[in-house]
Amino acid sequence: MAAPPPPNYGAQRPPMMNNPNMNPHQVRPGQGLPGGPNVHPGFPGGPGGAPPLPAGQPGVGQPYGQHIPPNRAGTPQGYPPQQPGMQPQPGGPQPTGFNYGNYPQPNRPAPNYRPPTGPGHADGMPPAPSPSMGQMPPMGNVAPIQRPGMPPPLRPLTGHAAGVPGSPMTESPTARLPPNFIPPISGTPPPPGPGVAPPGTRAGRRAYPTADPYSNPSAMSPMGGPSLDPFSAQLPSPEYGRPGTPATGVPPSPLPAQAPQFFNPGQAGGQQASVPTFGAQPAGPPAPTFGSQPQGQWASGQGMGSSSTFSSQSDLAQVTGSFGNLSIGGQSRGGPTSVNLLQGPPNVQEFDGPAPTPWISPESSVSQAPTSNSDPKYKRCTINAIPQTIQLMNKCKIPFGLLVTPYRHLLDGEDPVPVINPPQIVRCRRCRTYINPWVQFVEQGSRWKCNLCFLTNEVPSFFDWDPETRGHVDRLQRPELTHAVVEFIAPQEYMVRPPQPVVMLFVIDVSYAAVQSGMLATAARTILDTLDSVPNTDNRTKVGFITVDSALHFYNLSPNLAEPQMLVVSDLDDTFLPMPYDLLVSLTESRSVIEMLLQRIGDMFKNTQNVGNVLGRALQAAHKMISPIGGKIIVLQSTLPNQNEGALKAREDPKLLGTPKEVSLLQPQTGFYKNLAVSCSPTQVSIDVFLFSAQYADIATLSGCAKFTGGSVYYYPAFNAARSEDAMKFAHEFSHFLSRPIGLEAVMRVRASKGIRMTAFHGNFFLRSTDLLSLPNVNPDNSYAVEMTLQENLTTSLACFQTALLHTSSNGERRIRVITLAVPVTNNLADVFASTDQFAVASLLSKKAVERALTSKIEDAREALMYKLDDIMGAYKSSFTTSGQAVQLLMPDNLKLLPLLTLGLLKNTAFRSTSTVPSDLRSYIMAMLYVLPPEMSMVQIHPRFWALHALDQQAGLPGADGRIVKPPSLNLSSEKLERHGLYLLENGFEIFIWVGRAVAPELVQMLFDRPAYDAITAGKTTLPTLQNDFNVRVNNLIGKIREVRIQMMTTYPQLYVVKEDGEPSLRMWFLSQLIEDRIDASYSYPQFLGVLRERLGKVGTA
Ligand SMILES: [Zn+2]
């Protein structure tokens, strides 16, 4: 195998300087959206519906994460820009995958680059009374809390198991990494039946429950004061620790300086006497497979191991009955099962388990269908049994929020979202909630009671009567009532204009760096090779190109031309387009001219010496060109924009890294790009940014384009197409990016049960009004976090959250995707703790920490993370610890990984205290954490780590279900590294293979096709494909990781081989991800627990 040139991790960046200025997450007040043709008209009222919003409602530029004024369920819903006059068309695409970028890489000088060789139901009659209507007894359909220890309800889950873990690092100022040590990371409606309750549930015909299921739980008597949110307020400095002990929870510099000891097999890194030691690592459970998920089982917990599934309705009734009285009535049944964290190392295999689900059986819904509640992959709540009172909410200290990934890419084996086209979309006439599986039928089934605002509404006749067959139909089989996630084909009233076509306008850098690095040629080749896959089912897709150096080049791509014409504009005092037509053309009609351009474009600029770049002007022109329609602007940029409007300075200043002033480098240096993005939002234009610079790229500033338009950022530091790994990575990601289905001109609204208020939103969007998120592009890879609070005590036993995403699918159909999540309400603190989803909490906290870092300082973000952990553990300790347990460090079983996750965040590239992470990389990882869905942010926070030399029989081979079996995960500790071992570590963006010095030559030969350790070349590489079992299995594992990552986040992780005694910066990069170790001044996991115990001890005695 040809060894690639070793990366130059040690290359110094040129010193740069400059100032920050704006918070990239903020839209300045007053920057409301202009009205314009795309002002949202508001939803049509249904029969008796609420009046639509007046057109031209002023925008309300809201800063991200900004606290929002109270808004109750019941606000009329406004929807976005459309123009009248279009017919929906049947059939449509399904959501697509995720998209999360890449990571940074080490700077590599690029000598002698060469142009790359491209890799290249419906009804409508008066309802005849159903035979049993009004005769059935009430169902007692009280939402039961389902607790651990009880058999969980049947809840078929499909798809990929919860993600894996991420990448941190820490160093002392004395032992720093070389600055560039980080290498590049760089329908058809499904039959309504399937989700229906099991046979026997509705023998004959079931009457609709008429009892009011919403019990009014007795008042609580909890205490508890107001919660101090460490992320939103000026924090008092935490007063942990006594003098002389490590105090501030984070890695500042509390520990005595010590030479780095990265590789101490058999010895916990830097353990101190006072630090608890761990026992032996428990044996791992059976190896999970990729994409597998245990069926309807809880991942954790006492007594859950023997959980069974409900097989009959009587079982269900029994259980729901018993639960219905259990905690809703108010008696506490004792605390959750506590785990003493000091007893042993964390059980990291729980990262491979299924996501926790709400403590309610989907069969408690009106249809009793197993698909009645939202799959956590679409929407999950941090708490799966919600505190009933404000007091109880304050007392638990657990962050209350939703994580929504509305347009996620379906993984292999997952059922598509049902698409329905009813004669009428049924919504609550007061709060505009869409009818869903958690409503109740009242008055003999003639009305339905809204589960958000509790108003009763009429049931339309077509729910029970099919005019075509002139027969009765079972309303409980309708997808709206059997599925938590459904997609309606939107009728005319939901449009103000025809659904827009897919429009892709490429803005490509053709300056010297873009050409020399091979970016231009690789990009052109990839677009050319992907043209057949670009969404274009109705032949309406339009494309256009602008190339940029110190001038702008436009291309006349008229289908009537024999070849493309280039129009050069070098007078850039004003933004104008050289011609009004044929710059944006039909992909189908102009296909041959487009292909010709893509084939020639590399040669056209191959001799350029132009180092100028006027990206700002190019974006203005691009916006002008595309704004009458809307669509995607795709920026491919190798050079820092350095001329005209939007010019940026190379401001990187290594002296600022690791200091409080570092944040200035993480904030945009000019408001230009954010302002441009904000003006793009109302015209339904999104901007995706691909950055390839070998030098400073100013991601902090340029990412603003994506942030406010629902776009994405991809980063290929020091891209060099001459290196096949670089070309392959970009080509894979760009090709997936171009060919996946996309949602366009979208708005999203989140509603919640009365009493719950949204307080802040996090993600890439523009907040158009208090709760309306504008998304010119619905990115399948992105999730959105919603912070919530109780504004009044809840009066019912069930809280519901509904997200509606009105969008245009990439085949030109206007659709509304509705996602409903139901979570029981409890007045029992023990239930709150025992139902908390630690992964969702960590994911939400990571987003809040990003925002905190960018609006304040990274140190404040670390402090807030630590403070929140203290808060939660302190709240638990004060309620559930007896005096005899004082020396222990207790957490509920389901939260026992939260300290490890917090430590992972503190050591993550985004937040660790270090002077060695370039600001571009830091900005990039922050941008990723801010939008990644929880499954993916877990991989970044806690990477997965496997021993390749000890693969069991099945690992790396297809299991019984045909999926590749994963090896068991190891703890992220260098204790696991044996000298004769081979290990794989993956963090979502990179894959590392660590090779121990005493590795068996036979293994080296089988894997690398090299005779021995010394002959292995470290660095970015590609494994040879050889005909031996070991090689096949490792390649299977790597291939499967890449397949899943490209689907979930549009990332093709690059492979690095790291030798035990190899290049120090590469070793350091790998070792810094072993977050249980002590590295330099950072705490090891045992030390971290020691610090936590000390801080909590102090809290307890205060
Ligand atoms: Zn309502």
Side-chain angles (χ1 to χ4, degrees):
M1 161 191 94
N8 179 4
Y9 298 102
Q12 284 290 340
R13 287 165 190 277
M16 315 181 178
M17 29 185 321
N18 219 325
N19 302 327
N21 77 49
M22 303 183 51
N23 167 10
H25 296 253
Q26 279 189 338
V27 178
R28 284 185 182 144
Q31 278 172 343
L33 295 174
N38 283 317
V39 171
H40 57 281
F43 265 150
L53 285 181
Q57 185 184 13
V60 186
Q62 283 278 1
Y64 278 81
Q66 172 172 315
H67 286 245
I68 294 165
N71 179 53
R72 294 171 150 238
T75 315
Q77 174 151 5
Y79 265 159
Q82 292 295 337
Q83 287 164 6
M86 262 314 264
Q87 296 292 23
Q89 296 159 16
Q94 294 301 326
T96 350
F98 283 47
N99 145 20
Y100 250 80
N102 345 82
Y103 252 57
Q105 302 202 352
N107 266 351
R108 275 164 269 109
N112 308 322
Y113 293 108
R114 288 181 170 186
T117 49
H121 147 56
D123 340 340
M125 279 290 286
S130 114
S132 58
M133 244 183 217
Q135 296 167 9
M136 297 281 283
M139 285 292 289
N141 202 359
V142 173
I145 284 196
Q146 181 206 343
R147 298 178 174 235
M150 297 298 297
L154 185 60
R155 187 167 204 280
L157 292 173
T158 53
H160 181 64
V164 195
S167 99
M169 334 180 129
T170 359
E171 320 83 58
S172 71
T174 51
R176 12 180 320 178
L177 299 181
N180 296 319
F181 80 99
I182 302 271
I185 311 178
S186 357
T188 29
V196 170
T201 44
R202 286 197 299 276
R205 185 156 164 84
R206 191 181 77 180
Y208 307 110
T210 55
D212 182 353
Y214 294 93
S215 62
N216 190 341
S218 57
M220 318 273 61
S221 61
M223 354 149 317
S227 170
L228 174 58
D229 181 350
F231 287 93
S232 60
Q234 284 295 344
L235 292 180
S237 286
E239 305 169 6
Y240 322 115
R242 305 179 215 110
T245 60
T248 52
V250 198
S253 56
L255 296 174
Q258 188 177 330
Q261 296 179 359
F262 301 126
F263 190 62
N264 293 313
Q267 179 188 345
Q271 273 190 9
Q272 295 175 345
S274 64
V275 168
T277 53
F278 291 148
Q281 176 88 344
T289 57
F290 282 99
S292 70
Q293 212 163 32
Q295 296 281 314
Q297 307 272 335
W298 278 64
S300 64
Q302 60 299 11
M304 297 309 290
S306 60
S307 59
S308 57
T309 51
F310 295 125
S311 55
S312 71
Q313 197 60 22
S314 58
D315 288 346
L316 175 70
Q318 221 174 356
V319 172
T320 55
S322 61
F323 275 137
N325 299 329
L326 198 56
S327 60
I328 295 173
Q331 319 91 323
S332 173
R333 295 300 176 94
T337 301
S338 295
V339 173
N340 181 7
L341 299 178
L342 304 179
Q343 277 179 338
N347 179 7
V348 297
Q349 275 139 45
E350 287 194 12
F351 282 102
D352 294 327
T357 52
W359 279 18
I360 186 170
S361 162
E363 283 131 17
S364 304
S365 69
V366 68
S367 64
Q368 303 180 356
T371 49
S372 291
N373 216 348
S374 175
D375 185 314
K377 292 197 281 292
Y378 286 95
K379 185 193 267 187
R380 64 207 274 186
C381 185
T382 54
I383 312 175
N384 283 312
I386 294 173
Q388 185 200 3
T389 62
I390 295 172
Q391 276 184 315
L392 191 61
M393 182 64 88
N394 291 339
K395 188 177 181 183
C396 76
K397 305 290 186 189
I398 296 168
F400 180 32
L402 290 174
L403 294 151
V404 190
T405 315
Y407 216 60
R408 57 180 293 273
H409 195 290
L410 290 176
L411 298 177
D412 291 345
E414 288 186 329
D415 292 331
V417 175
V419 177
I420 47 180
N421 190 7
Q424 170 198 336
I425 296 179
V426 182
R427 303 175 66 185
C428 174
R429 66 183 194 278
R430 178 163 68 200
C431 73
R432 311 304 295 143
T433 287
Y434 296 78
I435 196 166
N436 63 77
W438 299 93
V439 303
Q440 297 297 328
F441 290 110
V442 296
E443 299 178 25
Q444 288 78 47
S446 64
R447 301 178 73 80
W448 62 276
K449 184 170 183 176
C450 174
N451 51 327
L452 268 68
C453 77
F454 318 123
L455 184 74
T456 61
N457 298 271
E458 251 179 68
V459 175
S461 56
F462 70 83
F463 263 49
D464 301 303
W465 176 258
D466 183 342
E468 283 181 20
T469 63
R470 304 180 64 80
H472 295 295
V473 290
D474 183 356
R475 65 168 75 169
L476 295 182
Q477 305 229 3
R478 295 189 62 82
E480 302 99 309
L481 298 178
T482 54
H483 286 74
V485 186
V486 291
E487 205 160 277
F488 294 99
I489 294 176
Q492 198 76 39
E493 313 92 86
Y494 290 76
M495 307 176 199
V496 292
R497 69 172 188 179
Q500 77 172 67
V502 173
V503 178
M504 291 184 175
L505 176 54
F506 297 89
V507 174
I508 308 178
D509 185 358
V510 291
S511 67
Y512 181 80
V515 173
Q516 291 301 307
S517 66
M519 181 280 279
L520 174 61
T522 310
R525 181 57 188 257
T526 305
I527 298 169
L528 187 60
D529 290 347
T530 313
L531 287 179
D532 283 332
S533 315
V534 168
N536 187 22
T537 49
D538 51 2
N539 292 327
R540 293 201 306 154
T541 297
K542 290 178 182 294
V543 298
F545 297 85
I546 298 175
T547 55
V548 196
D549 47 28
S550 59
L552 298 182
H553 320 97
F554 297 86
Y555 297 87
N556 180 347
L557 301 171
S558 164
N560 304 318
L561 293 175
E563 55 183 34
Q565 292 175 345
M566 181 163 79
L567 308 148
V568 180
V569 176
S570 42
D571 175 6
L572 298 168
D573 288 343
D574 197 8
T575 303
F576 67 95
L577 302 177
M579 56 185 292
Y581 309 110
D582 297 331
L583 296 177
L584 208 53
V585 297
S586 159
L587 172 58
T588 304
E589 291 169 12
S590 293
R591 177 71 180 255
S592 63
V593 187
I594 293 166
E595 288 183 359
M596 207 175 293
L597 172 64
L598 290 167
Q599 284 158 354
R600 294 178 182 179
I601 201 166
D603 284 344
M604 286 161 57
F605 296 97
K606 70 179 179 191
N607 296 319
T608 186
Q609 297 295 316
N610 195 330
V611 296
N613 185 280
V614 289
L615 178 65
R617 281 291 186 213
L619 286 172
Q620 287 173 333
H623 184 215
K624 196 169 234 179
M625 193 189 297
I626 200 176
S627 59
I629 309 175
K632 291 166 82 71
I633 296 174
I634 300 162
V635 176
L636 298 146
Q637 189 75 11
S638 291
T639 309
L640 193 65
N642 52 17
Q643 293 176 6
N644 214 293
E645 289 275 307
L648 299 175
K649 294 176 185 162
R651 59 176 172 154
E652 179 81 328
D653 182 354
K655 292 193 301 299
L656 298 185
L657 302 181
T659 74
K661 290 183 176 169
E662 179 177 358
V663 70
S664 67
L665 298 174
L666 304 176
Q667 296 168 339
Q669 59 171 301
T670 165
F672 177 85
Y673 293 95
K674 192 193 75 174
N675 293 340
L676 184 95
V678 169
S679 67
C680 283
S681 178
T683 55
Q684 305 302 338
V685 173
S686 72
I687 306 176
D688 297 288
V689 185
F690 291 75
L691 296 166
F692 302 86
S693 181
Q695 317 259 320
Y696 180 63
D698 203 348
I699 292 179
T701 303
L702 293 178
S703 63
C705 292
K707 178 177 290 291
F708 298 97
T709 62
S712 304
V713 179
Y714 298 83
Y715 184 35
Y716 308 86
F719 177 83
N720 176 4
R723 177 197 294 274
S724 63
E725 286 82 10
D726 280 12
M728 289 293 285
K729 176 180 172 63
F730 169 50
H732 269 99
E733 294 176 1
F734 195 38
S735 175
H736 181 78
F737 170 87
L738 294 173
S739 55
R740 66 190 186 183
I742 48 176
L744 300 164
E745 49 181 354
V747 286
M748 186 167 83
R749 175 162 273 149
V750 182
R751 295 178 169 86
S753 292
K754 184 173 178 292
I756 297 172
R757 179 166 74 83
M758 319 286 151
T759 56
F761 297 91
H762 305 280
N764 285 0
F765 54 79
F766 185 81
L767 197 58
R768 190 175 292 183
S769 63
T770 54
D771 61 348
L772 189 68
L773 278 54
S774 171
L775 298 163
N777 170 57
V778 195
N779 190 324
D781 299 351
N782 281 7
S783 78
Y784 307 89
V786 187
E787 287 185 70
M788 302 178 296
T789 188
L790 292 188
Q791 63 181 9
E792 56 190 72
N793 293 346
L794 302 177
T795 56
T796 58
S797 60
L798 196 63
C800 294
F801 308 94
Q802 190 176 76
T803 305
L805 177 73
L806 177 64
H807 65 283
T808 297
S809 68
S810 42
N811 68 342
E813 211 167 53
R814 203 68 178 145
R815 292 186 174 192
I816 309 159
R817 178 170 291 200
V818 177
I819 304 171
T820 309
L821 174 69
V823 181
V825 172
T826 181
N827 58 16
N828 183 344
L829 185 63
D831 290 341
V832 177
F833 273 106
S835 73
T836 299
D837 177 346
Q838 57 192 347
F839 306 109
V841 168
S843 186
L844 177 61
L845 291 180
S846 72
K847 295 170 197 299
K848 286 166 67 74
V850 167
E851 195 160 286
R852 179 81 176 176
L854 294 176
T855 53
S856 180
K857 299 197 294 281
I858 298 175
E859 186 184 354
D860 290 350
R862 289 195 298 266
E863 218 158 75
L865 284 165
M866 195 65 195
Y867 200 89
K868 194 68 216 175
L869 179 62
D870 276 354
D871 237 11
I872 296 171
M873 295 183 79
Y876 184 69
K877 179 179 178 178
S878 63
S879 296
F880 297 105
T881 304
T882 61
S883 57
Q885 296 171 314
V887 297
Q888 303 181 355
L889 186 61
L890 300 182
M891 274 296 255
D893 185 76
N894 54 299
L895 286 176
K896 63 180 185 284
L897 292 175
L898 193 58
L900 180 64
L901 289 166
T902 305
L903 184 62
L905 277 170
L906 295 173
K907 293 184 173 187
N908 188 273
T909 307
F911 304 116
R912 65 204 172 95
S913 174
T914 177
S915 57
T916 61
V917 175
S919 63
D920 270 338
L921 176 56
R922 184 97 90 177
S923 288
Y924 176 70
I925 299 297
M926 283 187 175
M928 293 294 103
L929 285 176
Y930 200 57
V931 296
L932 282 178
E935 299 85 11
M936 288 295 96
S937 51
M938 288 310 106
V939 184
Q940 171 61 201
I941 296 166
H942 188 279
R944 71 168 81 178
F945 186 34
W946 300 329
L948 294 178
H949 61 285
L951 292 181
D952 60 26
Q953 283 197 327
Q954 276 301 307
L957 296 174
D961 59 357
R963 300 170 192 269
I964 301 293
V965 177
K966 295 184 290 188
S969 296
L970 300 177
N971 284 74
L972 290 166
S973 165
S974 56
E975 284 183 75
K976 300 294 171 196
L977 293 174
E978 299 191 57
R979 301 225 159 190
H980 65 273
L982 274 170
Y983 300 85
L984 184 150
L985 183 145
E986 187 250 347
N987 64 24
F989 299 102
E990 294 99 16
I991 299 169
F992 299 88
I993 292 183
W994 171 273
V995 190
R997 220 177 333 176
V999 63
E1002 297 76 19
L1003 281 182
V1004 174
Q1005 184 66 48
M1006 285 193 288
L1007 189 58
F1008 300 103
D1009 200 18
R1010 298 279 155 149
Y1013 176 83
D1014 290 338
I1016 301 171
T1017 306
K1020 196 187 294 184
T1021 194
T1022 304
L1023 283 185
T1025 307
L1026 304 174
Q1027 297 305 312
N1028 68 73
D1029 179 68
F1030 184 56
N1031 186 285
V1032 167
R1033 295 212 267 165
V1034 174
N1035 271 314
N1036 281 349
L1037 289 169
I1038 291 171
K1040 193 66 196 183
I1041 289 169
R1042 286 175 166 166
E1043 181 189 320
V1044 171
R1045 296 292 170 250
I1046 201 90
Q1047 289 181 4
M1048 295 186 76
M1049 51 199 271
T1050 317
T1051 292
Y1052 183 84
Q1054 275 185 327
L1055 175 66
Y1056 294 86
V1057 170
V1058 188
K1059 296 172 74 172
E1060 181 186 332
D1061 59 0
E1063 208 268 321
S1065 59
L1066 188 54
R1067 286 181 72 248
M1068 182 65 196
W1069 185 21
F1070 172 87
L1071 292 168
S1072 66
Q1073 300 181 74
L1074 300 181
I1075 59 171
E1076 289 183 33
D1077 283 357
R1078 174 176 177 215
I1079 299 171
D1080 293 346
S1082 72
Y1083 296 118
S1084 68
Y1085 181 67
Q1087 286 172 329
F1088 186 65
L1089 295 183
V1091 170
L1092 282 175
R1093 186 173 59 176
E1094 207 151 327
R1095 291 166 62 124
L1096 286 171
K1098 186 158 184 171
V1099 171
T1101 56

